[in-house]
Amino acid sequence: MTRGIFVAGNESALFSAVGVEAVKRVERFAAAVISRDGTEAETGNPREDTRRMALDWNSGSPISARALVLEAAGKLEHIDDAVLVCVPPAYRRSAEGLFPADIDRLIDDNLKSWYFLVRELLGVFRARKAGTLALALLETGGQKNGSPDLIGPAVASAFRAFAHNVLLSAAGAPYAAMGFSCSEPGGENAFAAYIFKILDEGKKNSGKWHKYGKLFGR
């Protein structure tokens, strides 16, 4: 039986690196990205991987989240591993220069999206009594050239808190859930390889938060 790998999240170097690791294990994988309009883009892989089945996703919509999971499961036959990649978008403006429409969109795309998508994925995993959810966070926020990032750190904190609670709720569930974090931009390829190394080890790592980096070991 072919392993079904689904990847969703911010288009970024880490997202691309996760895709590279996926195609080391399967012929094709399904993927959906969050729009980065209005934010500082992370550098991704300029080559579109023909082994990626790109799926449409309106990340701020619960209906779209359900349709996305059903489409991914249909194209893959089943989802064995779902890797959600959070690379918080940078929004560098002064506080008085915030645009309300941008804030609404960024919250919808980068906060609500995870709740909607995780809800649908875990529902599928519970019904199937199998599946692994990986929640991966690359923390890149802070100041740049004296300009504060007003969105990235908030998104990272919210994602981390949500992920920790998802891990707690997975205790005794028929599926596995794991958390991953890295605060060293530039090491995306190694971080992605580490994520899949842990996934390949199976359900024994369920409920654990895995920190990747020099301070925590690899």
Side-chain angles (χ1 to χ4, degrees), residues 37-200:
D37 292 345
T39 63
E40 182 179 297
E42 293 290 324
T43 303
N45 188 334
R47 180 178 62 84
E48 176 64 25
D49 196 326
T50 57
R51 294 166 68 180
R52 176 199 294 189
M53 293 186 287
L55 307 181
D56 291 332
W57 180 25
N58 177 358
S59 49
S61 165
I63 295 173
S64 182
R66 175 166 295 184
L68 173 62
V69 172
L70 291 175
E71 183 179 9
K75 289 185 177 295
L76 296 169
E77 296 185 6
H78 46 78
I79 301 173
D80 295 298
D81 300 305
V83 184
L84 305 192
V85 177
C86 179
V87 181
Y91 189 83
R92 301 185 189 279
R93 295 182 184 273
S94 62
E96 65 271 23
L98 293 172
F99 295 128
D102 286 348
I103 301 307
D104 282 344
R105 188 187 67 254
L106 288 166
I107 288 174
D108 283 350
D109 290 347
N110 296 282
L111 293 178
K112 290 182 180 179
S113 56
W114 306 120
Y115 287 80
F116 295 150
L117 192 53
V118 167
R119 176 181 184 275
E120 298 300 330
L121 285 166
L122 295 187
V124 168
F125 289 166
R126 185 172 291 279
R128 189 169 169 249
K129 296 184 179 180
T132 299
L133 174 67
L135 298 155
L137 171 64
L138 180 63
E139 300 182 80
T140 61
Q143 291 202 2
K144 183 177 181 181
N145 298 325
S147 178
D149 177 2
L150 298 179
I151 293 293
V155 169
S157 294
F159 183 86
R160 180 186 290 275
F162 175 56
H164 272 298
N165 285 318
V166 169
L167 300 190
L168 289 174
S169 68
Y175 53 79
M178 306 170 192
F180 299 87
S181 62
C182 176
S183 57
E184 298 178 11
E188 290 87 354
N189 292 339
F191 183 34
Y194 175 75
I195 291 169
F196 273 91
K197 173 182 176 294
I198 300 298
L199 287 175
D200 292 344

